[in-house]
Structures are given as structure tokens and as C-alpha cells.
Amino acid sequence: MMKLSILIPSVCVVAMMATGCVSNKKFAELQSTNTKLQQSNEQLNQRLQASESDASGGKIRIKSLEEQIAAEKANAVALQAALNKCLNSSSQGNVNISKLVDEINSSNKYIQQLVNAKNKSDSLNMVLTNNLTRSLSQQEMSDVDVQVLKGVVYISLSDNMLYKSGSYEISDKAGATLGKIAKIISDYSNYDVLIEGNTDNVPISKPNIRNNWDLSALRASSVVQALQNTYKVDPKRLTAGGRGEYNPLVSNDNEASKAKNRRTQIIITPKLDQFMELIGKAPAETKP
């Protein structure tokens, strides 16, 4: 439409020139006006094309934005679904966490019971050891060694003090020492007592004693029977065992070392059934 309105004045100018209706000056003015109108028309056409191009680009951008909005909406729906699933899982997880906390608390309580039992046992062991060492004379202590190792009291009695030479019979001089040990054992009735015989590696063969196994077992049995019969220790708490020559403290290279290996140990331990009872109280495992 704009181009059509501009072409009409141009035709009029040509017609006027052809009929000689206007002067040269007037014609020049009309021609200048026509040129300006053509230039304006061209500028308007360019602006129109630019506007149409911008409108086309705007439509493309709008379409792209609409697609992005649609994608974001779909993403929001997916996120909401994931959130709902997470909330459901969290609810179940809270239940599992609560159970886990209960199990941890129960385990901690059980561990504390074990620690308390161990501390009590350690304290009693120290008291027992102190009472025994205070009751023994200086001379007796030269033949008796008392140690606490890993919660167990070991009373090691030398072979020379305890038995007659080459025999499993208790010597007379050992009576007083055994009596003091028996009193300690009786005072601590919650402990079990293992009597363990040990020898050196020198072979032995006598009537009723075939080897060091026999000798070590017979010597341990003699101590057990003395504790039971002479000192009235409850026999249910006593156990006798022989280790022969196979549990040496040192090598049997010389007489001094052999003498050290020939010993009888009185091993005092907390009653096993008490620990088994405590173990029985352990928290049960929860199945997943």
C-alpha cells in the first residue's frame, strides 16, 4: 500500500512535464519531492522487512521458551515424584534408625557389663594376690611366685619345696604354705582352681610312673587331694592336670633351668559359668 501511494505523484509529475503545464522550476521542485518520497518509501520498506524479521525471530524464541517451560514442568513433576518416594523411604528409614539406636544402646549396656565384670575380676585378683603375698614369709616367697596375667592368678610352687625328691608325695615343709594358699582359695569362693603339674625333660621310669606325663599328673593330683582332704577346699572347684615336660618356662639346658621348669602351678580363675551367663545376656542379632 505504501509503494502505491508514492507512485501516483511520480506519474503526475511525468504528465505535467509532457503537457508543459508547469515551469522548469516547479518541475524541479516536484522532481525533488518525488525523489524524497521514493527514498522514504525505501526506508519504510526496509523497516517493514526488519520488523517482519524481528517478529519471526520473536516467534522462534517464544516457541523455544515454551518448549523449555514444558521441559521444566516435566522435570518438576519428576522431582515431586522422587521427593514423595524419598519421604516414604525416610519414614521407613526412621523406623530402621530407631531400631538401630535401640540395638546400639543395648550393645553399649552389654559392653559396660563386660567391662564392669572385668574390672571387678581384676580388682579381686589384685586383692587376692596381695593377701596371699602378705601371708607368706620371706623364706616361703623364695619358693612361691605369684603373678596376675590376663585376668588369671598364677601361683607357681617349686618342685623342691612341694615334693619329696623324685616323688609325687607332698613334703612336710610344704604343709604350712599350702595351708595359706588353701585359705585364700576358700575365701574367694567364686573362683575355680586348676592345679597343673610340670616337669623338666629328664626321662623317668619308676613303679607306677611310666614317664613325665604320669609324674606331672600325679603331682597335681596330690596337691588337689591335699587341698580337699586336709584343708577342706570344695572339690567341685578343683581340677588336676599334668603338662609333662611340654610346657617349660625356659630351655632345659642346665640344672638351674630344669629346676625352674619343675613346678606345680595353682591357677585361680573366675568361674566359667558366670562368664557364660554374662555371654548369654548378649543382645540378640536383629535380622535385616
Side-chain angles (χ1 to χ4, degrees), residues 95-140:
V95 175
N96 293 335
I97 290 173
S98 178
K99 290 182 179 178
L100 180 60
V101 169
D102 290 340
E103 291 176 8
I104 291 173
N105 290 336
S106 180
S107 295
N108 287 339
K109 183 178 179 181
Y110 174 63
I111 291 170
Q112 188 58 49
Q113 289 176 337
L114 292 176
V115 170
N116 292 340
K118 182 181 182 301
N119 291 339
K120 180 181 178 181
S121 176
D122 289 344
S123 298
L124 289 174
N125 286 344
M126 292 305 299
V127 173
L128 184 155
T129 302
N130 290 335
N131 288 344
L132 177 59
T133 53
R134 282 201 301 266
S135 68
L136 297 174
S137 67
Q138 192 70 28
Q139 183 178 356
E140 287 173 322

mmCIF file of all heavy atoms in Angstrom, residues 95-140:
data_model
loop_
_atom_site.group_PDB
_atom_site.id
_atom_site.type_symbol
_atom_site.label_atom_id
_atom_site.label_comp_id
_atom_site.label_asym_id
_atom_site.label_seq_id
_atom_site.Cartn_x
_atom_site.Cartn_y
_atom_site.Cartn_z
ATOM 1 N N VAL A 95 12.124 -45.636 61.093
ATOM 2 C CA VAL A 95 11.827 -46.829 61.895
ATOM 3 C C VAL A 95 13.083 -47.676 62.055
ATOM 4 O O VAL A 95 13.415 -48.145 63.148
ATOM 5 C CB VAL A 95 10.701 -47.648 61.231
ATOM 6 C CG1 VAL A 95 10.471 -48.944 61.996
ATOM 7 C CG2 VAL A 95 9.412 -46.833 61.180
ATOM 8 N N ASN A 96 13.818 -47.868 60.926
ATOM 9 C CA ASN A 96 15.046 -48.669 60.982
ATOM 10 C C ASN A 96 16.098 -48.010 61.867
ATOM 11 O O ASN A 96 16.812 -48.681 62.611
ATOM 12 C CB ASN A 96 15.605 -48.864 59.573
ATOM 13 C CG ASN A 96 14.695 -49.725 58.712
ATOM 14 O OD1 ASN A 96 13.923 -50.527 59.235
ATOM 15 N ND2 ASN A 96 14.768 -49.556 57.402
ATOM 16 N N ILE A 97 16.214 -46.686 61.765
ATOM 17 C CA ILE A 97 17.184 -45.962 62.590
ATOM 18 C C ILE A 97 16.839 -46.107 64.061
ATOM 19 O O ILE A 97 17.708 -46.291 64.913
ATOM 20 C CB ILE A 97 17.226 -44.477 62.172
ATOM 21 C CG1 ILE A 97 17.869 -44.342 60.787
ATOM 22 C CG2 ILE A 97 17.997 -43.651 63.195
ATOM 23 C CD1 ILE A 97 17.797 -42.944 60.218
ATOM 24 N N SER A 98 15.543 -46.040 64.365
ATOM 25 C CA SER A 98 15.115 -46.192 65.755
ATOM 26 C C SER A 98 15.494 -47.568 66.293
ATOM 27 O O SER A 98 15.992 -47.699 67.412
ATOM 28 C CB SER A 98 13.600 -45.984 65.851
ATOM 29 O OG SER A 98 13.157 -46.165 67.175
ATOM 30 N N LYS A 99 15.293 -48.609 65.459
ATOM 31 C CA LYS A 99 15.678 -49.956 65.876
ATOM 32 C C LYS A 99 17.185 -50.049 66.072
ATOM 33 O O LYS A 99 17.667 -50.677 67.015
ATOM 34 C CB LYS A 99 15.224 -50.975 64.827
ATOM 35 C CG LYS A 99 13.713 -51.168 64.764
ATOM 36 C CD LYS A 99 13.357 -52.219 63.727
ATOM 37 C CE LYS A 99 11.849 -52.447 63.668
ATOM 38 N NZ LYS A 99 11.480 -53.442 62.634
ATOM 39 N N LEU A 100 17.922 -49.417 65.140
ATOM 40 C CA LEU A 100 19.381 -49.455 65.228
ATOM 41 C C LEU A 100 19.873 -48.773 66.499
ATOM 42 O O LEU A 100 20.784 -49.262 67.171
ATOM 43 C CB LEU A 100 19.986 -48.784 63.996
ATOM 44 C CG LEU A 100 21.517 -48.741 63.921
ATOM 45 C CD1 LEU A 100 22.084 -50.153 63.936
ATOM 46 C CD2 LEU A 100 21.974 -48.003 62.671
ATOM 47 N N VAL A 101 19.254 -47.641 66.838
ATOM 48 C CA VAL A 101 19.639 -46.926 68.062
ATOM 49 C C VAL A 101 19.387 -47.804 69.286
ATOM 50 O O VAL A 101 20.212 -47.874 70.204
ATOM 51 C CB VAL A 101 18.860 -45.598 68.173
ATOM 52 C CG1 VAL A 101 19.042 -44.981 69.556
ATOM 53 C CG2 VAL A 101 19.332 -44.621 67.103
ATOM 54 N N ASP A 102 18.238 -48.508 69.292
ATOM 55 C CA ASP A 102 17.931 -49.408 70.413
ATOM 56 C C ASP A 102 18.973 -50.516 70.520
ATOM 57 O O ASP A 102 19.406 -50.879 71.624
ATOM 58 C CB ASP A 102 16.536 -50.015 70.236
ATOM 59 C CG ASP A 102 15.433 -48.982 70.420
ATOM 60 O OD1 ASP A 102 15.707 -47.931 71.037
ATOM 61 O OD2 ASP A 102 14.309 -49.220 69.943
ATOM 62 N N GLU A 103 19.372 -51.058 69.356
ATOM 63 C CA GLU A 103 20.372 -52.128 69.360
ATOM 64 C C GLU A 103 21.718 -51.612 69.867
ATOM 65 O O GLU A 103 22.415 -52.298 70.619
ATOM 66 C CB GLU A 103 20.526 -52.699 67.949
ATOM 67 C CG GLU A 103 19.306 -53.482 67.471
ATOM 68 C CD GLU A 103 19.458 -53.938 66.031
ATOM 69 O OE1 GLU A 103 20.560 -53.778 65.478
ATOM 70 O OE2 GLU A 103 18.478 -54.442 65.467
ATOM 71 N N ILE A 104 22.082 -50.399 69.430
ATOM 72 C CA ILE A 104 23.355 -49.815 69.876
ATOM 73 C C ILE A 104 23.337 -49.590 71.382
ATOM 74 O O ILE A 104 24.305 -49.899 72.088
ATOM 75 C CB ILE A 104 23.629 -48.500 69.133
ATOM 76 C CG1 ILE A 104 23.923 -48.785 67.652
ATOM 77 C CG2 ILE A 104 24.798 -47.746 69.764
ATOM 78 C CD1 ILE A 104 24.039 -47.541 66.806
ATOM 79 N N ASN A 105 22.221 -49.062 71.885
ATOM 80 C CA ASN A 105 22.109 -48.831 73.330
ATOM 81 C C ASN A 105 22.199 -50.141 74.101
ATOM 82 O O ASN A 105 22.846 -50.221 75.152
ATOM 83 C CB ASN A 105 20.792 -48.121 73.645
ATOM 84 C CG ASN A 105 20.779 -46.682 73.164
ATOM 85 O OD1 ASN A 105 21.836 -46.072 72.994
ATOM 86 N ND2 ASN A 105 19.604 -46.139 72.918
ATOM 87 N N SER A 106 21.543 -51.174 73.557
ATOM 88 C CA SER A 106 21.587 -52.479 74.213
ATOM 89 C C SER A 106 23.001 -53.046 74.202
ATOM 90 O O SER A 106 23.473 -53.594 75.206
ATOM 91 C CB SER A 106 20.621 -53.441 73.504
ATOM 92 O OG SER A 106 20.641 -54.709 74.112
ATOM 93 N N SER A 107 23.693 -52.887 73.055
ATOM 94 C CA SER A 107 25.072 -53.374 72.959
ATOM 95 C C SER A 107 25.993 -52.616 73.908
ATOM 96 O O SER A 107 26.858 -53.205 74.555
ATOM 97 C CB SER A 107 25.577 -53.239 71.520
ATOM 98 O OG SER A 107 24.843 -54.075 70.653
ATOM 99 N N ASN A 108 25.803 -51.299 73.980
ATOM 100 C CA ASN A 108 26.628 -50.496 74.889
ATOM 101 C C ASN A 108 26.421 -50.921 76.342
ATOM 102 O O ASN A 108 27.372 -50.971 77.134
ATOM 103 C CB ASN A 108 26.297 -49.015 74.728
ATOM 104 C CG ASN A 108 26.844 -48.443 73.434
ATOM 105 O OD1 ASN A 108 27.764 -48.998 72.847
ATOM 106 N ND2 ASN A 108 26.277 -47.340 72.978
ATOM 107 N N LYS A 109 25.167 -51.219 76.681
ATOM 108 C CA LYS A 109 24.875 -51.670 78.039
ATOM 109 C C LYS A 109 25.571 -52.996 78.327
ATOM 110 O O LYS A 109 26.140 -53.205 79.405
ATOM 111 C CB LYS A 109 23.362 -51.813 78.216
ATOM 112 C CG LYS A 109 22.942 -52.216 79.618
ATOM 113 C CD LYS A 109 21.427 -52.297 79.731
ATOM 114 C CE LYS A 109 21.001 -52.727 81.136
ATOM 115 N NZ LYS A 109 19.522 -52.822 81.244
ATOM 116 N N TYR A 110 25.528 -53.891 77.337
ATOM 117 C CA TYR A 110 26.174 -55.200 77.491
ATOM 118 C C TYR A 110 27.688 -55.051 77.613
ATOM 119 O O TYR A 110 28.330 -55.696 78.451
ATOM 120 C CB TYR A 110 25.820 -56.073 76.298
ATOM 121 C CG TYR A 110 26.534 -57.403 76.262
ATOM 122 C CD1 TYR A 110 26.331 -58.352 77.258
ATOM 123 C CD2 TYR A 110 27.418 -57.709 75.231
ATOM 124 C CE1 TYR A 110 26.986 -59.571 77.228
ATOM 125 C CE2 TYR A 110 28.075 -58.926 75.199
ATOM 126 C CZ TYR A 110 27.855 -59.850 76.197
ATOM 127 O OH TYR A 110 28.505 -61.049 76.165
ATOM 128 N N ILE A 111 28.256 -54.175 76.766
ATOM 129 C CA ILE A 111 29.702 -53.933 76.830
ATOM 130 C C ILE A 111 30.087 -53.386 78.197
ATOM 131 O O ILE A 111 31.107 -53.778 78.778
ATOM 132 C CB ILE A 111 30.129 -52.961 75.709
ATOM 133 C CG1 ILE A 111 30.002 -53.648 74.347
ATOM 134 C CG2 ILE A 111 31.561 -52.477 75.919
ATOM 135 C CD1 ILE A 111 30.177 -52.707 73.175
ATOM 136 N N GLN A 112 29.261 -52.489 78.729
ATOM 137 C CA GLN A 112 29.546 -51.929 80.045
ATOM 138 C C GLN A 112 29.496 -53.010 81.117
ATOM 139 O O GLN A 112 30.296 -52.998 82.067
ATOM 140 C CB GLN A 112 28.545 -50.814 80.371
ATOM 141 C CG GLN A 112 28.886 -50.033 81.634
ATOM 142 C CD GLN A 112 30.250 -49.386 81.561
ATOM 143 O OE1 GLN A 112 30.579 -48.720 80.580
ATOM 144 N NE2 GLN A 112 31.066 -49.575 82.591
ATOM 145 N N GLN A 113 28.570 -53.964 80.960
ATOM 146 C CA GLN A 113 28.502 -55.079 81.912
ATOM 147 C C GLN A 113 29.791 -55.903 81.859
ATOM 148 O O GLN A 113 30.323 -56.308 82.901
ATOM 149 C CB GLN A 113 27.297 -55.968 81.589
ATOM 150 C CG GLN A 113 25.952 -55.329 81.915
ATOM 151 C CD GLN A 113 24.793 -56.212 81.496
ATOM 152 O OE1 GLN A 113 24.925 -57.063 80.614
ATOM 153 N NE2 GLN A 113 23.646 -56.017 82.114
ATOM 154 N N LEU A 114 30.278 -56.141 80.635
ATOM 155 C CA LEU A 114 31.524 -56.892 80.493
ATOM 156 C C LEU A 114 32.699 -56.134 81.111
ATOM 157 O O LEU A 114 33.553 -56.722 81.782
ATOM 158 C CB LEU A 114 31.806 -57.165 79.013
ATOM 159 C CG LEU A 114 30.864 -58.135 78.295
ATOM 160 C CD1 LEU A 114 31.230 -58.222 76.818
ATOM 161 C CD2 LEU A 114 30.918 -59.517 78.922
ATOM 162 N N VAL A 115 32.728 -54.823 80.856
ATOM 163 C CA VAL A 115 33.805 -54.004 81.418
ATOM 164 C C VAL A 115 33.747 -54.023 82.940
ATOM 165 O O VAL A 115 34.774 -54.168 83.620
ATOM 166 C CB VAL A 115 33.704 -52.556 80.892
ATOM 167 C CG1 VAL A 115 34.665 -51.639 81.647
ATOM 168 C CG2 VAL A 115 34.008 -52.515 79.401
ATOM 169 N N ASN A 116 32.532 -53.887 83.481
ATOM 170 C CA ASN A 116 32.382 -53.907 84.944
ATOM 171 C C ASN A 116 32.815 -55.247 85.522
ATOM 172 O O ASN A 116 33.469 -55.301 86.572
ATOM 173 C CB ASN A 116 30.927 -53.618 85.324
ATOM 174 C CG ASN A 116 30.520 -52.187 85.005
ATOM 175 O OD1 ASN A 116 31.372 -51.317 84.852
ATOM 176 N ND2 ASN A 116 29.230 -51.945 84.890
ATOM 177 N N ALA A 117 32.424 -56.331 84.811
ATOM 178 C CA ALA A 117 32.810 -57.663 85.286
ATOM 179 C C ALA A 117 34.325 -57.832 85.264
ATOM 180 O O ALA A 117 34.917 -58.389 86.193
ATOM 181 C CB ALA A 117 32.145 -58.736 84.424
ATOM 182 N N LYS A 118 34.945 -57.337 84.180
ATOM 183 C CA LYS A 118 36.403 -57.442 84.083
ATOM 184 C C LYS A 118 37.081 -56.605 85.163
ATOM 185 O O LYS A 118 38.043 -57.054 85.800
ATOM 186 C CB LYS A 118 36.874 -56.986 82.704
ATOM 187 C CG LYS A 118 38.383 -57.109 82.514
ATOM 188 C CD LYS A 118 38.820 -56.632 81.161
ATOM 189 C CE LYS A 118 40.322 -56.820 80.981
ATOM 190 N NZ LYS A 118 41.103 -56.099 81.998
ATOM 191 N N ASN A 119 36.580 -55.383 85.363
ATOM 192 C CA ASN A 119 37.173 -54.523 86.395
ATOM 193 C C ASN A 119 37.035 -55.146 87.778
ATOM 194 O O ASN A 119 37.961 -55.095 88.593
ATOM 195 C CB ASN A 119 36.509 -53.147 86.373
ATOM 196 C CG ASN A 119 36.868 -52.358 85.127
ATOM 197 O OD1 ASN A 119 37.875 -52.635 84.476
ATOM 198 N ND2 ASN A 119 36.049 -51.380 84.784
ATOM 199 N N LYS A 120 35.856 -55.737 88.013
ATOM 200 C CA LYS A 120 35.641 -56.394 89.302
ATOM 201 C C LYS A 120 36.593 -57.570 89.463
ATOM 202 O O LYS A 120 37.194 -57.766 90.529
ATOM 203 C CB LYS A 120 34.192 -56.866 89.407
ATOM 204 C CG LYS A 120 33.872 -57.565 90.722
ATOM 205 C CD LYS A 120 32.423 -58.019 90.757
ATOM 206 C CE LYS A 120 32.114 -58.756 92.061
ATOM 207 N NZ LYS A 120 30.708 -59.230 92.097
ATOM 208 N N SER A 121 36.727 -58.350 88.382
ATOM 209 C CA SER A 121 37.630 -59.503 88.426
ATOM 210 C C SER A 121 39.068 -59.060 88.651
ATOM 211 O O SER A 121 39.796 -59.652 89.460
ATOM 212 C CB SER A 121 37.517 -60.295 87.118
ATOM 213 O OG SER A 121 38.439 -61.358 87.092
ATOM 214 N N ASP A 122 39.490 -58.006 87.937
ATOM 215 C CA ASP A 122 40.857 -57.506 88.097
ATOM 216 C C ASP A 122 41.098 -57.026 89.528
ATOM 217 O O ASP A 122 42.166 -57.270 90.111
ATOM 218 C CB ASP A 122 41.111 -56.359 87.115
ATOM 219 C CG ASP A 122 41.193 -56.846 85.673
ATOM 220 O OD1 ASP A 122 41.355 -58.065 85.475
ATOM 221 O OD2 ASP A 122 41.084 -56.010 84.757
ATOM 222 N N SER A 123 40.096 -56.345 90.083
ATOM 223 C CA SER A 123 40.241 -55.838 91.453
ATOM 224 C C SER A 123 40.349 -56.985 92.448
ATOM 225 O O SER A 123 41.199 -56.968 93.354
ATOM 226 C CB SER A 123 39.044 -54.947 91.811
ATOM 227 O OG SER A 123 38.988 -53.822 90.962
ATOM 228 N N LEU A 124 39.500 -57.997 92.274
ATOM 229 C CA LEU A 124 39.548 -59.150 93.175
ATOM 230 C C LEU A 124 40.868 -59.899 93.041
ATOM 231 O O LEU A 124 41.428 -60.382 94.035
ATOM 232 C CB LEU A 124 38.373 -60.088 92.882
ATOM 233 C CG LEU A 124 36.989 -59.576 93.300
ATOM 234 C CD1 LEU A 124 35.900 -60.523 92.822
ATOM 235 C CD2 LEU A 124 36.911 -59.410 94.816
ATOM 236 N N ASN A 125 41.366 -59.985 91.809
ATOM 237 C CA ASN A 125 42.658 -60.653 91.597
ATOM 238 C C ASN A 125 43.778 -59.940 92.342
ATOM 239 O O ASN A 125 44.655 -60.575 92.943
ATOM 240 C CB ASN A 125 42.980 -60.704 90.103
ATOM 241 C CG ASN A 125 42.132 -61.725 89.365
ATOM 242 O OD1 ASN A 125 41.529 -62.599 89.983
ATOM 243 N ND2 ASN A 125 42.079 -61.611 88.051
ATOM 244 N N MET A 126 43.755 -58.618 92.285
ATOM 245 C CA MET A 126 44.796 -57.860 92.974
ATOM 246 C C MET A 126 44.687 -58.034 94.490
ATOM 247 O O MET A 126 45.702 -58.188 95.185
ATOM 248 C CB MET A 126 44.689 -56.379 92.606
ATOM 249 C CG MET A 126 45.029 -56.077 91.151
ATOM 250 S SD MET A 126 46.663 -56.689 90.658
ATOM 251 C CE MET A 126 47.715 -55.774 91.786
ATOM 252 N N VAL A 127 43.452 -58.018 95.001
ATOM 253 C CA VAL A 127 43.263 -58.214 96.443
ATOM 254 C C VAL A 127 43.725 -59.610 96.846
ATOM 255 O O VAL A 127 44.417 -59.794 97.861
ATOM 256 C CB VAL A 127 41.780 -57.997 96.824
ATOM 257 C CG1 VAL A 127 41.541 -58.375 98.281
ATOM 258 C CG2 VAL A 127 41.382 -56.547 96.585
ATOM 259 N N LEU A 128 43.332 -60.608 96.055
ATOM 260 C CA LEU A 128 43.733 -61.988 96.335
ATOM 261 C C LEU A 128 45.254 -62.109 96.355
ATOM 262 O O LEU A 128 45.837 -62.710 97.274
ATOM 263 C CB LEU A 128 43.127 -62.911 95.277
ATOM 264 C CG LEU A 128 43.323 -64.423 95.414
ATOM 265 C CD1 LEU A 128 42.191 -65.157 94.680
ATOM 266 C CD2 LEU A 128 44.653 -64.901 94.846
ATOM 267 N N THR A 129 45.889 -61.530 95.339
ATOM 268 C CA THR A 129 47.351 -61.609 95.248
ATOM 269 C C THR A 129 48.023 -60.919 96.428
ATOM 270 O O THR A 129 48.975 -61.456 97.029
ATOM 271 C CB THR A 129 47.817 -60.970 93.928
ATOM 272 O OG1 THR A 129 47.197 -61.653 92.836
ATOM 273 C CG2 THR A 129 49.324 -61.066 93.785
ATOM 274 N N ASN A 130 47.525 -59.740 96.769
ATOM 275 C CA ASN A 130 48.113 -59.003 97.895
ATOM 276 C C ASN A 130 47.938 -59.756 99.210
ATOM 277 O O ASN A 130 48.865 -59.828 100.039
ATOM 278 C CB ASN A 130 47.483 -57.616 97.997
ATOM 279 C CG ASN A 130 47.897 -56.714 96.844
ATOM 280 O OD1 ASN A 130 48.954 -56.912 96.242
ATOM 281 N ND2 ASN A 130 47.069 -55.728 96.532
ATOM 282 N N ASN A 131 46.750 -60.321 99.412
ATOM 283 C CA ASN A 131 46.504 -61.074 100.650
ATOM 284 C C ASN A 131 47.416 -62.292 100.743
ATOM 285 O O ASN A 131 47.929 -62.620 101.825
ATOM 286 C CB ASN A 131 45.041 -61.510 100.720
ATOM 287 C CG ASN A 131 44.100 -60.349 100.984
ATOM 288 O OD1 ASN A 131 44.534 -59.274 101.412
ATOM 289 N ND2 ASN A 131 42.817 -60.551 100.741
ATOM 290 N N LEU A 132 47.605 -62.962 99.609
ATOM 291 C CA LEU A 132 48.448 -64.158 99.623
ATOM 292 C C LEU A 132 49.905 -63.798 99.897
ATOM 293 O O LEU A 132 50.560 -64.420 100.749
ATOM 294 C CB LEU A 132 48.335 -64.898 98.288
ATOM 295 C CG LEU A 132 49.232 -66.133 98.131
ATOM 296 C CD1 LEU A 132 48.937 -67.162 99.222
ATOM 297 C CD2 LEU A 132 49.065 -66.754 96.746
ATOM 298 N N THR A 133 50.423 -62.808 99.190
ATOM 299 C CA THR A 133 51.838 -62.448 99.371
ATOM 300 C C THR A 133 52.109 -61.929 100.782
ATOM 301 O O THR A 133 53.191 -62.168 101.342
ATOM 302 C CB THR A 133 52.256 -61.394 98.336
ATOM 303 O OG1 THR A 133 51.353 -60.286 98.387
ATOM 304 C CG2 THR A 133 52.237 -61.976 96.933
ATOM 305 N N ARG A 134 51.123 -61.238 101.380
ATOM 306 C CA ARG A 134 51.316 -60.754 102.754
ATOM 307 C C ARG A 134 51.316 -61.900 103.767
ATOM 308 O O ARG A 134 51.948 -61.814 104.815
ATOM 309 C CB ARG A 134 50.215 -59.748 103.117
ATOM 310 C CG ARG A 134 50.442 -58.359 102.534
ATOM 311 C CD ARG A 134 49.651 -57.312 103.310
ATOM 312 N NE ARG A 134 48.223 -57.607 103.279
ATOM 313 C CZ ARG A 134 47.368 -57.097 102.395
ATOM 314 N NH1 ARG A 134 47.820 -56.279 101.450
ATOM 315 N NH2 ARG A 134 46.093 -57.399 102.445
ATOM 316 N N SER A 135 50.601 -62.981 103.414
ATOM 317 C CA SER A 135 50.520 -64.103 104.359
ATOM 318 C C SER A 135 51.756 -64.996 104.311
ATOM 319 O O SER A 135 52.019 -65.756 105.248
ATOM 320 C CB SER A 135 49.275 -64.947 104.063
ATOM 321 O OG SER A 135 49.403 -65.626 102.825
ATOM 322 N N LEU A 136 52.533 -64.921 103.231
ATOM 323 C CA LEU A 136 53.706 -65.779 103.085
ATOM 324 C C LEU A 136 54.941 -65.122 103.697
ATOM 325 O O LEU A 136 55.135 -63.909 103.602
ATOM 326 C CB LEU A 136 53.961 -66.070 101.599
ATOM 327 C CG LEU A 136 52.863 -66.845 100.863
ATOM 328 C CD1 LEU A 136 53.182 -66.929 99.373
ATOM 329 C CD2 LEU A 136 52.693 -68.246 101.445
ATOM 330 N N SER A 137 55.775 -65.955 104.290
ATOM 331 C CA SER A 137 57.024 -65.453 104.871
ATOM 332 C C SER A 137 58.042 -65.193 103.770
ATOM 333 O O SER A 137 57.862 -65.609 102.618
ATOM 334 C CB SER A 137 57.587 -66.476 105.861
ATOM 335 O OG SER A 137 57.989 -67.652 105.167
ATOM 336 N N GLN A 138 59.124 -64.536 104.144
ATOM 337 C CA GLN A 138 60.181 -64.246 103.185
ATOM 338 C C GLN A 138 60.775 -65.535 102.632
ATOM 339 O O GLN A 138 61.066 -65.635 101.437
ATOM 340 C CB GLN A 138 61.270 -63.407 103.856
ATOM 341 C CG GLN A 138 62.273 -62.799 102.893
ATOM 342 C CD GLN A 138 61.665 -61.698 102.035
ATOM 343 O OE1 GLN A 138 60.727 -61.039 102.462
ATOM 344 N NE2 GLN A 138 62.207 -61.513 100.841
ATOM 345 N N GLN A 139 60.940 -66.527 103.493
ATOM 346 C CA GLN A 139 61.500 -67.803 103.051
ATOM 347 C C GLN A 139 60.543 -68.513 102.101
ATOM 348 O O GLN A 139 60.965 -69.093 101.095
ATOM 349 C CB GLN A 139 61.794 -68.693 104.262
ATOM 350 C CG GLN A 139 62.446 -70.018 103.883
ATOM 351 C CD GLN A 139 62.775 -70.867 105.107
ATOM 352 O OE1 GLN A 139 62.570 -70.429 106.246
ATOM 353 N NE2 GLN A 139 63.292 -72.069 104.875
ATOM 354 N N GLU A 140 59.247 -68.467 102.422
ATOM 355 C CA GLU A 140 58.260 -69.111 101.553
ATOM 356 C C GLU A 140 58.210 -68.433 100.182
ATOM 357 O O GLU A 140 58.031 -69.103 99.154
ATOM 358 C CB GLU A 140 56.882 -69.070 102.206
ATOM 359 C CG GLU A 140 56.739 -70.027 103.388
ATOM 360 C CD GLU A 140 55.417 -69.846 104.114
ATOM 361 O OE1 GLU A 140 54.965 -68.680 104.249
ATOM 362 O OE2 GLU A 140 54.834 -70.857 104.551
#
